[in-house]
Amino acid sequence: QVQLAESGGGSVLAGGSLRLSCAASGRAFEMYAMGWFRQAPGKERECVSIISRNGVETYYSQSVKGRFTISRDNAKNTVFLQMINLKPEDTAVYYCAARATPSVTNKFFKVRDYDYWGQGTQVTVSS
């Protein structure tokens, strides 16, 4: 099992930047594919970005591509989401998620694909 704790959220003006972190406790972090999801009020939780176990393979939703960068440090059991040029429509609670997998690729884009979730961190972008 793994426990996840997000941090780094906050309130920024449009065009600003934030860096989210997700610290994982437990064993064998390198065996988990990781993802960042977000949920805005009244909307379903959606996939923002995912990363493979070794950090080589990444995916971004069209709405954040070119602005967000996902990365991970397996030595520190942490996954990051660097967000630049933030827009009001990025306002949401951001969650990190983990899925144990033997695969070195990450094709897990759906909420139901992930077994472990953090408590979420609020990101608010004002215009």
Side-chain angles (χ1 to χ4, degrees), residues 12-83:
V12 297
L13 295 175
S17 301
L18 286 172
R19 188 191 196 206
L20 305 184
S21 299
C22 173
S25 60
R27 305 172 73 175
F29 177 69
E30 66 277 7
M31 295 302 295
Y32 290 85
M34 301 296 295
W36 283 99
F37 290 73
R38 67 186 181 187
Q39 188 167 18
K43 294 189 176 181
E44 293 188 353
R45 194 171 298 189
E46 63 174 354
C47 180
V48 174
S49 182
I50 61 174
I51 189 167
S52 59
R53 284 169 39 191
N54 59 7
V56 171
E57 187 175 270
T58 59
Y59 159 86
Y60 300 93
S61 68
Q62 196 62 37
S63 61
V64 308
K65 193 175 294 184
R67 301 187 297 119
F68 290 11
T69 303
I70 191 171
S71 61
R72 66 188 293 164
D73 185 340
N74 284 350
K76 296 183 178 180
N77 286 12
T78 305
V79 63
F80 304 98
L81 187 68
Q82 178 69 51
M83 307 184 294

